[in-house]
Amino acid sequence: MARRSLQRVAIAMAFVLLMITQSRAQECGDSTPVEVPLVFGLSRVSRSNLQKDSLATVGIAPPENVPEVVGGFPARRVLAKYTALVGEDSRGTTDWFCDGSLINALWILTAAHCFQRRSASVVRLGEHDYSTSSDGDRHEDFLVGEVVLHPEYLRPESYHDLALIKLGRRVVFNSHINPVCLPWGREAERDLTGGAVVITGWGATEHGGSGSTVLQEVALTAFPPSRCDQSYSTLPQYSRYWPRGIGNETLCAGDPQGGKDACQGDSGGPLVYLDERKRYVLAGVVSSGYGCGLQEFPGLYANLRQAPYLRWIKKVAFT
Ligand code: 4AZ
């Protein structure tokens, strides 16, 4: 009898312990859902002057009749915890021209090509729909301290399309704002090929379209880089953008049927997967692509799982 009740106490204690560990926000990649109050009322503003420097808009004119939306839907708020808006203030308004990922309390990872024609003045975290301030998000704006481009990024080549933004003050993490994990150590050895990855962004929902004010998410399949190399090598600008071919420094991801993709304005944004501990881990940074959602042309991402990229991030942002 005594043993029975001891057993019960042990089970109850284990349950309480489980609840405590489940409810505590993880240090990074926190996948616990966000609770938002019910809100009423909507207003819309348009996102102007999306980043126009990618292959999608320079050099090559993509074909007409590109599949729409690139297959996304309004993102789960849990994915908004680490997805950042990168903006330029001009004449009293902010132009959100690229996306990024919160990687720790001071740094945002984004794409180097974002800064070809623009300069960042502000980063917004914890946002979901930037057209309204009454949708229950608790966004915060941060001034930009400095921008560090990857030292080997050499436009117009598409390699090493990475940049780090240092925020003007430290981020205090909460249930709406939490950094994504990086694939440190053995995590980078996991083979993602054929697996599911998720991208988020406020970019265009169709090729040539305008940005979405509501954060979108879409699940994609990670392909081997050779799949992208095969199709992209048929393009006339291949040797200009990828003189050494598309290899392991690039992550190639899309949908086997097409129709799901990153697009203009998503640049710099995160491509993540969920690890066994249910943490979101960053694997790629939105870089470029031919059109949006074309079956033959998956999107191209800087592949963070490359040791030199992780070493550079560690040196700049984690010391
Ligand atoms: C862009 O311009 C862009 N379909 C990003 C990704 C893709 C195309 C364009 C991939 O930011």
Side-chain angles (χ1 to χ4, degrees):
M1 198 63 181
R3 211 163 131 200
R4 265 253 170 96
S5 50
L6 213 64
Q7 244 176 10
R8 278 198 196 130
V9 170
I11 289 169
M13 273 169 62
F15 182 73
V16 169
L17 213 68
L18 188 76
M19 295 309 285
I20 290 171
T21 50
Q22 290 285 299
S23 63
R24 197 189 312 143
Q26 283 165 306
E27 261 168 42
C28 68
D30 178 19
S31 58
T32 48
V34 179
E35 283 178 31
V36 284
L38 268 182
V39 285
F40 303 95
L42 273 178
S43 67
R44 295 193 87 75
V45 295
S46 69
R47 175 173 171 156
S48 61
N49 295 325
L50 285 168
Q51 182 64 27
K52 299 234 190 275
D53 289 334
S54 82
L55 177 62
T57 44
V58 287
I60 309 165
E64 299 299 317
N65 301 324
V66 178
E68 277 208 8
V69 156
V70 258
F73 55 90
R76 285 162 290 155
R77 293 196 183 241
V78 62
L79 307 182
K81 292 185 189 190
Y82 59 81
T83 310
L85 277 158
V86 179
E88 181 171 42
D89 286 327
S90 66
R91 283 172 262 116
T93 63
T94 305
D95 185 18
W96 301 112
F97 64 94
C98 266
D99 298 340
S101 308
L102 179 68
I103 56 166
N104 64 24
L106 264 185
W107 292 88
I108 304 291
L109 184 64
T110 184
H113 84 259
C114 289
F115 304 100
Q116 269 175 31
R117 296 193 201 146
R118 312 296 297 257
S119 66
S121 40
V122 58
V123 167
R124 178 168 289 182
L125 297 172
E127 184 57 285
H128 193 255
D129 178 352
Y130 66 77
S131 74
T132 169
S133 52
S134 55
D135 66 339
D137 69 53
R138 284 168 38 194
H139 66 257
E140 278 187 65
D141 288 349
F142 295 79
L143 291 180
V144 169
E146 63 176 302
V147 174
V148 183
L149 303 187
H150 190 282
E152 288 166 80
Y153 176 68
L154 188 71
R155 54 178 292 223
E157 291 178 11
S158 291
Y159 305 114
H160 322 305
D161 191 4
L162 291 170
L164 284 159
I165 299 175
K166 187 177 189 181
L167 303 174
R169 63 185 165 96
R170 293 178 71 83
V171 181
V172 177
F173 305 147
N174 58 37
S175 58
H176 289 66
I177 300 176
N178 194 258
V180 70
C181 298
L182 285 164
W184 303 120
R186 307 223 60 157
E187 197 53 51
E189 289 165 24
R190 179 203 300 263
D191 186 11
L192 293 185
T193 312
V197 292
V198 176
I199 58 169
T200 35
W202 285 273
T205 51
E206 59 182 315
H207 178 75
S210 60
S212 166
T213 68
V214 179
L215 182 65
Q216 302 284 304
E217 70 169 277
V218 62
L220 304 175
T221 304
F223 299 130
S226 56
R227 170 156 176 176
C228 277
D229 194 55
Q230 261 167 31
S231 52
Y232 281 81
S233 63
T234 64
L235 297 173
Q237 304 283 11
Y238 178 69
S239 57
R240 178 172 152 85
Y241 294 114
W242 298 280
R244 299 183 297 286
I246 294 172
N248 286 333
E249 66 281 279
T250 302
L251 203 150
C252 169
D255 185 78
Q257 269 78 53
K260 294 180 180 179
D261 198 1
C263 202
Q264 235 175 292
D266 288 322
S267 276
L271 176 148
V272 302
Y273 63 92
L274 206 54
D275 73 3
E276 297 103 26
R277 290 163 61 191
K278 300 239 178 303
R279 302 178 315 165
Y280 288 105
V281 183
L282 200 60
V285 172
V286 177
S287 177
S288 67
Y290 178 58
C292 302
L294 296 170
Q295 186 185 20
E296 289 308 303
F297 295 93
L300 301 169
Y301 301 77
N303 183 2
L304 277 189
R305 302 151 60 73
Q306 291 295 294
Y309 289 161
L310 287 169
R311 274 201 297 274
W312 171 70
I313 293 168
K314 191 165 188 181
K315 197 177 81 186
V316 177
F318 285 85
T319 48

